[in-house]
Amino acid sequence: MQNKFQTFSYHSHTNFSDGKCSITEMVCRAKELGFSELGISDHLIVHKNMRQSPSCVVNAYMQKEPHIYCSDFDAILERFQRHCDEMRQVAKAENFKLYTGFEVDFFTYDGWLEELQDFLQKLDYDYVISGNHFLFDESGENLINLTDLKELYTDRAIYRDYLNRHFKAMAQAVESGMFKFLAHIDYARRLGDDICGPTDFWAEKIALLDTLAANNVPMEISTKGLRRVNDYFPSDNILAEAAKRNICFVVSDDAHHTSELGLNFTDAEKTLQKHGIKNRLKF
Ligand SMILES: [Zn+2]
Ligand SMILES: [Zn+2]
């Protein structure tokens, strides 16, 4: 990489999902920053029992946003098609390289993957990334938002079960071969160090890194972690293990606002350099 820091981002959100700014505003900011290109990856989260999830009861924002937290692919198809069209129109109007992506929560119940593939075939999109924010039971059929785990359960054995499955589901996502990269692999640190600190679930994290390496799937270092857990996603010890496996990296801001685009990219670059990570993703 010739630049001192990466001049593009493939993980960002607009007000189509839970971002705060329009596509045009994000593109204009990317141009202002001197970015060569931008990928917008709004959420695509569809699970057949999403609307019955206890998380929909405890979180008003989930009740209000049925096209983000959705039970039915068919119900959102038109809206997603319109979004893809708008992305193309903005790219043309702004004369800027804009990739249409989606951040997909990976679910494991029978039929889900086929439904996702069928849905994506009907969209004019460029890429999908795997970003996992939900936890589910053994059947995969009942789910909760990861950040609700402590509010809904107190049993530590349940935490362990849910999180074990979470890391396994990410490995399944990687093995599906569908995703350009895996986002925030230790997002579960949002639960706090008492449940998922940097050294917890270590065997599961290592297994996931091995799966990334074996399948040649890149992962991100996300500066969003700095705003959530005061550290990058992922933690330093994971970066060291990823470096040993020569896993390919992309720097992400996971920007939900124009002010977050490219945020802390210089520092992220130094962190990658510190670990000798040179294998980098560019579309
Ligand atoms: Zn995410
Ligand atoms: Zn995101």
Side-chain angles (χ1 to χ4, degrees):
M1 180 139 311
Q2 297 306 309
N3 287 301
K4 274 200 213 95
F5 55 90
Q6 190 186 284
T7 52
F8 56 87
S9 170
Y10 298 141
H11 186 171
S12 67
H13 299 269
T14 70
N15 53 14
F16 175 73
S17 64
D18 59 351
K20 300 289 177 275
C21 303
S22 67
I23 301 166
T24 302
E25 286 169 329
M26 295 298 274
V27 167
C28 289
R29 178 63 185 151
K31 285 166 93 172
E32 223 172 79
L33 288 167
F35 273 21
S36 57
E37 56 196 24
L38 177 69
I40 288 179
S41 56
D42 274 306
H43 291 287
L44 171 51
I45 312 175
V46 184
H47 184 291
K48 64 180 177 181
N49 293 323
M50 178 62 81
R51 304 309 291 171
Q52 285 81 50
S53 164
S55 286
C56 269
V57 177
V58 296
N59 296 310
Y61 70 89
M62 286 183 65
Q63 294 160 25
K64 274 190 270 167
E65 315 214 64
H67 79 289
I68 310 179
Y69 306 102
C70 186
S71 291
D72 180 6
F73 281 105
D74 289 339
I76 55 169
L77 179 60
E78 266 188 51
R79 209 162 166 165
F80 274 68
Q81 284 172 332
R82 277 204 303 276
H83 173 70
C84 291
D85 289 345
E86 201 188 333
M87 294 275 289
R88 305 282 173 210
Q89 283 159 14
V90 171
K92 206 171 165 199
E94 295 296 332
N95 190 26
F96 189 73
K97 183 73 212 164
L98 179 63
Y99 293 98
T100 304
F102 293 103
E103 180 180 11
V104 177
D105 270 79
F106 193 85
F107 297 118
T108 57
Y109 62 84
D110 277 353
W112 178 83
L113 189 57
E114 292 71 21
E115 275 194 80
L116 171 71
Q117 286 165 336
D118 190 46
F119 178 81
L120 289 172
Q121 269 183 16
K122 297 171 190 154
L123 296 182
D124 179 19
Y125 77 106
D126 297 307
Y127 70 104
V128 283
I129 65 176
S130 173
N132 297 280
H133 315 85
F134 284 83
L135 302 173
F136 34 82
D137 66 0
E138 185 130 34
S139 70
E141 304 221 345
N142 302 294
L143 78 168
I144 60 165
N145 201 322
L146 178 141
T147 50
D148 298 331
L149 184 65
K150 278 204 257 192
E151 191 176 336
L152 295 168
Y153 300 99
T154 51
D155 186 346
R156 294 194 72 85
I158 290 181
Y159 297 167
R160 179 148 287 279
D161 271 7
Y162 266 108
L163 289 170
N164 274 329
R165 272 193 296 276
H166 174 63
F167 287 106
K168 282 207 183 89
M170 281 190 272
Q172 278 178 261
V174 169
E175 284 168 338
S176 76
M178 290 185 61
F179 299 101
K180 283 280 188 192
F181 61 91
L182 177 62
H184 48 64
I185 80 170
D186 59 351
Y187 176 78
R189 286 166 71 206
R190 287 195 62 180
L191 292 165
D193 280 358
D194 56 326
I195 296 182
C196 189
T199 55
D200 293 317
F201 297 91
W202 189 242
E204 287 77 8
K205 289 170 183 169
I206 291 293
L208 183 50
L209 293 178
D210 286 339
T211 305
L212 284 161
N215 290 274
N216 247 318
V217 173
M219 62 187 276
E220 70 175 15
I221 175 170
S222 173
T223 63
K224 172 91 177 261
L226 299 171
R227 309 188 295 277
R228 291 293 191 198
V229 295
N230 204 24
D231 189 11
Y232 293 101
F233 292 133
S235 53
D236 224 45
N237 51 352
I238 294 181
L239 290 171
E241 290 296 327
K244 282 187 210 162
R245 289 161 178 77
N246 194 30
I247 290 172
C248 182
F249 270 83
V250 63
V251 179
S252 291
D253 42 47
D254 199 353
H256 283 66
H257 189 275
T258 52
S259 62
E260 293 174 348
L261 269 177
L263 203 60
N264 305 112
F265 271 23
T266 316
D267 287 337
E269 203 62 46
K270 282 185 200 146
T271 302
L272 290 181
Q273 264 173 31
K274 181 182 85 180
H275 288 286
I277 292 170
K278 294 199 183 90
N279 189 4
R280 301 290 293 273
L281 174 70
K282 188 166 194 298
F283 288 173

mmCIF file with all atom_site columns, all heavy atoms in Angstrom, residues 202-214:
data_model
loop_
_atom_site.group_PDB
_atom_site.id
_atom_site.type_symbol
_atom_site.label_atom_id
_atom_site.label_alt_id
_atom_site.label_comp_id
_atom_site.label_asym_id
_atom_site.label_entity_id
_atom_site.label_seq_id
_atom_site.pdbx_PDB_ins_code
_atom_site.Cartn_x
_atom_site.Cartn_y
_atom_site.Cartn_z
_atom_site.occupancy
_atom_site.B_iso_or_equiv
_atom_site.pdbx_formal_charge
_atom_site.auth_seq_id
_atom_site.auth_comp_id
_atom_site.auth_asym_id
_atom_site.auth_atom_id
_atom_site.pdbx_PDB_model_num
ATOM 1  N N   . TRP A 1 202 ? -11.327 -18.228 23.428 1.00 0.00 ? 202 TRP A N   1
ATOM 2  C CA  . TRP A 1 202 ? -10.100 -18.198 22.649 1.00 0.00 ? 202 TRP A CA  1
ATOM 3  C C   . TRP A 1 202 ? -10.051 -19.335 21.629 1.00 0.00 ? 202 TRP A C   1
ATOM 4  O O   . TRP A 1 202 ? -9.704  -19.117 20.454 1.00 0.00 ? 202 TRP A O   1
ATOM 5  C CB  . TRP A 1 202 ? -8.888  -18.204 23.584 1.00 0.00 ? 202 TRP A CB  1
ATOM 6  C CG  . TRP A 1 202 ? -7.601  -17.953 22.860 1.00 0.00 ? 202 TRP A CG  1
ATOM 7  C CD1 . TRP A 1 202 ? -6.526  -18.794 22.756 1.00 0.00 ? 202 TRP A CD1 1
ATOM 8  C CD2 . TRP A 1 202 ? -7.257  -16.769 22.117 1.00 0.00 ? 202 TRP A CD2 1
ATOM 9  N NE1 . TRP A 1 202 ? -5.539  -18.217 21.993 1.00 0.00 ? 202 TRP A NE1 1
ATOM 10 C CE2 . TRP A 1 202 ? -5.962  -16.978 21.585 1.00 0.00 ? 202 TRP A CE2 1
ATOM 11 C CE3 . TRP A 1 202 ? -7.925  -15.582 21.826 1.00 0.00 ? 202 TRP A CE3 1
ATOM 12 C CZ2 . TRP A 1 202 ? -5.307  -16.028 20.789 1.00 0.00 ? 202 TRP A CZ2 1
ATOM 13 C CZ3 . TRP A 1 202 ? -7.283  -14.629 21.032 1.00 0.00 ? 202 TRP A CZ3 1
ATOM 14 C CH2 . TRP A 1 202 ? -5.994  -14.865 20.524 1.00 0.00 ? 202 TRP A CH2 1
ATOM 15 N N   . ALA A 1 203 ? -10.427 -20.550 22.073 1.00 0.00 ? 203 ALA A N   1
ATOM 16 C CA  . ALA A 1 203 ? -10.396 -21.691 21.136 1.00 0.00 ? 203 ALA A CA  1
ATOM 17 C C   . ALA A 1 203 ? -11.349 -21.437 19.973 1.00 0.00 ? 203 ALA A C   1
ATOM 18 O O   . ALA A 1 203 ? -11.038 -21.752 18.814 1.00 0.00 ? 203 ALA A O   1
ATOM 19 C CB  . ALA A 1 203 ? -10.780 -22.980 21.865 1.00 0.00 ? 203 ALA A CB  1
ATOM 20 N N   . GLU A 1 204 ? -12.500 -20.838 20.272 1.00 0.00 ? 204 GLU A N   1
ATOM 21 C CA  . GLU A 1 204 ? -13.496 -20.558 19.227 1.00 0.00 ? 204 GLU A CA  1
ATOM 22 C C   . GLU A 1 204 ? -12.967 -19.505 18.255 1.00 0.00 ? 204 GLU A C   1
ATOM 23 O O   . GLU A 1 204 ? -13.167 -19.590 17.046 1.00 0.00 ? 204 GLU A O   1
ATOM 24 C CB  . GLU A 1 204 ? -14.800 -20.058 19.851 1.00 0.00 ? 204 GLU A CB  1
ATOM 25 C CG  . GLU A 1 204 ? -15.620 -21.133 20.555 1.00 0.00 ? 204 GLU A CG  1
ATOM 26 C CD  . GLU A 1 204 ? -15.079 -21.528 21.927 1.00 0.00 ? 204 GLU A CD  1
ATOM 27 O OE1 . GLU A 1 204 ? -14.143 -20.856 22.421 1.00 0.00 ? 204 GLU A OE1 1
ATOM 28 O OE2 . GLU A 1 204 ? -15.584 -22.511 22.489 1.00 0.00 ? 204 GLU A OE2 1
ATOM 29 N N   . LYS A 1 205 ? -12.303 -18.478 18.808 1.00 0.00 ? 205 LYS A N   1
ATOM 30 C CA  . LYS A 1 205 ? -11.752 -17.425 17.952 1.00 0.00 ? 205 LYS A CA  1
ATOM 31 C C   . LYS A 1 205 ? -10.639 -17.983 17.055 1.00 0.00 ? 205 LYS A C   1
ATOM 32 O O   . LYS A 1 205 ? -10.572 -17.656 15.867 1.00 0.00 ? 205 LYS A O   1
ATOM 33 C CB  . LYS A 1 205 ? -11.219 -16.269 18.809 1.00 0.00 ? 205 LYS A CB  1
ATOM 34 C CG  . LYS A 1 205 ? -12.330 -15.455 19.487 1.00 0.00 ? 205 LYS A CG  1
ATOM 35 C CD  . LYS A 1 205 ? -11.747 -14.492 20.515 1.00 0.00 ? 205 LYS A CD  1
ATOM 36 C CE  . LYS A 1 205 ? -12.806 -13.718 21.252 1.00 0.00 ? 205 LYS A CE  1
ATOM 37 N NZ  . LYS A 1 205 ? -12.264 -12.985 22.422 1.00 0.00 ? 205 LYS A NZ  1
ATOM 38 N N   . ILE A 1 206 ? -9.793  -18.833 17.640 1.00 0.00 ? 206 ILE A N   1
ATOM 39 C CA  . ILE A 1 206 ? -8.707  -19.429 16.847 1.00 0.00 ? 206 ILE A CA  1
ATOM 40 C C   . ILE A 1 206 ? -9.286  -20.314 15.738 1.00 0.00 ? 206 ILE A C   1
ATOM 41 O O   . ILE A 1 206 ? -8.835  -20.283 14.598 1.00 0.00 ? 206 ILE A O   1
ATOM 42 C CB  . ILE A 1 206 ? -7.745  -20.252 17.763 1.00 0.00 ? 206 ILE A CB  1
ATOM 43 C CG1 . ILE A 1 206 ? -6.964  -19.301 18.668 1.00 0.00 ? 206 ILE A CG1 1
ATOM 44 C CG2 . ILE A 1 206 ? -6.808  -21.136 16.942 1.00 0.00 ? 206 ILE A CG2 1
ATOM 45 C CD1 . ILE A 1 206 ? -5.976  -18.387 17.959 1.00 0.00 ? 206 ILE A CD1 1
ATOM 46 N N   . ALA A 1 207 ? -10.316 -21.088 16.075 1.00 0.00 ? 207 ALA A N   1
ATOM 47 C CA  . ALA A 1 207 ? -10.951 -21.947 15.061 1.00 0.00 ? 207 ALA A CA  1
ATOM 48 C C   . ALA A 1 207 ? -11.509 -21.090 13.920 1.00 0.00 ? 207 ALA A C   1
ATOM 49 O O   . ALA A 1 207 ? -11.415 -21.453 12.746 1.00 0.00 ? 207 ALA A O   1
ATOM 50 C CB  . ALA A 1 207 ? -12.068 -22.777 15.701 1.00 0.00 ? 207 ALA A CB  1
ATOM 51 N N   . LEU A 1 208 ? -12.061 -19.942 14.286 1.00 0.00 ? 208 LEU A N   1
ATOM 52 C CA  . LEU A 1 208 ? -12.609 -19.044 13.268 1.00 0.00 ? 208 LEU A CA  1
ATOM 53 C C   . LEU A 1 208 ? -11.491 -18.477 12.379 1.00 0.00 ? 208 LEU A C   1
ATOM 54 O O   . LEU A 1 208 ? -11.634 -18.405 11.152 1.00 0.00 ? 208 LEU A O   1
ATOM 55 C CB  . LEU A 1 208 ? -13.401 -17.920 13.960 1.00 0.00 ? 208 LEU A CB  1
ATOM 56 C CG  . LEU A 1 208 ? -14.123 -16.912 13.092 1.00 0.00 ? 208 LEU A CG  1
ATOM 57 C CD1 . LEU A 1 208 ? -14.989 -17.575 12.021 1.00 0.00 ? 208 LEU A CD1 1
ATOM 58 C CD2 . LEU A 1 208 ? -14.985 -15.995 13.965 1.00 0.00 ? 208 LEU A CD2 1
ATOM 59 N N   . LEU A 1 209 ? -10.382 -18.099 12.995 1.00 0.00 ? 209 LEU A N   1
ATOM 60 C CA  . LEU A 1 209 ? -9.244  -17.608 12.205 1.00 0.00 ? 209 LEU A CA  1
ATOM 61 C C   . LEU A 1 209 ? -8.736  -18.697 11.262 1.00 0.00 ? 209 LEU A C   1
ATOM 62 O O   . LEU A 1 209 ? -8.418  -18.424 10.093 1.00 0.00 ? 209 LEU A O   1
ATOM 63 C CB  . LEU A 1 209 ? -8.104  -17.146 13.121 1.00 0.00 ? 209 LEU A CB  1
ATOM 64 C CG  . LEU A 1 209 ? -8.366  -15.904 13.976 1.00 0.00 ? 209 LEU A CG  1
ATOM 65 C CD1 . LEU A 1 209 ? -7.164  -15.608 14.871 1.00 0.00 ? 209 LEU A CD1 1
ATOM 66 C CD2 . LEU A 1 209 ? -8.684  -14.685 13.114 1.00 0.00 ? 209 LEU A CD2 1
ATOM 67 N N   . ASP A 1 210 ? -8.677  -19.935 11.760 1.00 0.00 ? 210 ASP A N   1
ATOM 68 C CA  . ASP A 1 210 ? -8.244  -21.047 10.904 1.00 0.00 ? 210 ASP A CA  1
ATOM 69 C C   . ASP A 1 210 ? -9.187  -21.213 9.715  1.00 0.00 ? 210 ASP A C   1
ATOM 70 O O   . ASP A 1 210 ? -8.752  -21.487 8.594  1.00 0.00 ? 210 ASP A O   1
ATOM 71 C CB  . ASP A 1 210 ? -8.178  -22.358 11.720 1.00 0.00 ? 210 ASP A CB  1
ATOM 72 C CG  . ASP A 1 210 ? -6.964  -22.386 12.654 1.00 0.00 ? 210 ASP A CG  1
ATOM 73 O OD1 . ASP A 1 210 ? -5.997  -21.636 12.412 1.00 0.00 ? 210 ASP A OD1 1
ATOM 74 O OD2 . ASP A 1 210 ? -6.999  -23.156 13.641 1.00 0.00 ? 210 ASP A OD2 1
ATOM 75 N N   . THR A 1 211 ? -10.498 -21.025 9.976  1.00 0.00 ? 211 THR A N   1
ATOM 76 C CA  . THR A 1 211 ? -11.483 -21.155 8.895  1.00 0.00 ? 211 THR A CA  1
ATOM 77 C C   . THR A 1 211 ? -11.304 -20.033 7.869  1.00 0.00 ? 211 THR A C   1
ATOM 78 O O   . THR A 1 211 ? -11.386 -20.270 6.661  1.00 0.00 ? 211 THR A O   1
ATOM 79 C CB  . THR A 1 211 ? -12.921 -21.125 9.474  1.00 0.00 ? 211 THR A CB  1
ATOM 80 O OG1 . THR A 1 211 ? -13.012 -22.148 10.464 1.00 0.00 ? 211 THR A OG1 1
ATOM 81 C CG2 . THR A 1 211 ? -13.956 -21.365 8.405  1.00 0.00 ? 211 THR A CG2 1
ATOM 82 N N   . LEU A 1 212 ? -11.053 -18.813 8.349  1.00 0.00 ? 212 LEU A N   1
ATOM 83 C CA  . LEU A 1 212 ? -10.795 -17.693 7.427  1.00 0.00 ? 212 LEU A CA  1
ATOM 84 C C   . LEU A 1 212 ? -9.581  -18.000 6.549  1.00 0.00 ? 212 LEU A C   1
ATOM 85 O O   . LEU A 1 212 ? -9.624  -17.822 5.326  1.00 0.00 ? 212 LEU A O   1
ATOM 86 C CB  . LEU A 1 212 ? -10.547 -16.406 8.222  1.00 0.00 ? 212 LEU A CB  1
ATOM 87 C CG  . LEU A 1 212 ? -11.779 -15.722 8.821  1.00 0.00 ? 212 LEU A CG  1
ATOM 88 C CD1 . LEU A 1 212 ? -11.369 -14.761 9.935  1.00 0.00 ? 212 LEU A CD1 1
ATOM 89 C CD2 . LEU A 1 212 ? -12.576 -14.967 7.763  1.00 0.00 ? 212 LEU A CD2 1
ATOM 90 N N   . ALA A 1 213 ? -8.516  -18.470 7.196  1.00 0.00 ? 213 ALA A N   1
ATOM 91 C CA  . ALA A 1 213 ? -7.282  -18.754 6.453  1.00 0.00 ? 213 ALA A CA  1
ATOM 92 C C   . ALA A 1 213 ? -7.510  -19.870 5.436  1.00 0.00 ? 213 ALA A C   1
ATOM 93 O O   . ALA A 1 213 ? -7.111  -19.756 4.274  1.00 0.00 ? 213 ALA A O   1
ATOM 94 C CB  . ALA A 1 213 ? -6.166  -19.127 7.425  1.00 0.00 ? 213 ALA A CB  1
ATOM 95 N N   . ALA A 1 214 ? -8.177  -20.946 5.871  1.00 0.00 ? 214 ALA A N   1
ATOM 96 C CA  . ALA A 1 214 ? -8.385  -22.100 4.988  1.00 0.00 ? 214 ALA A CA  1
ATOM 97 C C   . ALA A 1 214 ? -9.250  -21.740 3.783  1.00 0.00 ? 214 ALA A C   1
ATOM 98 O O   . ALA A 1 214 ? -9.103  -22.299 2.700  1.00 0.00 ? 214 ALA A O   1
ATOM 99 C CB  . ALA A 1 214 ? -9.024  -23.245 5.766  1.00 0.00 ? 214 ALA A CB  1
#
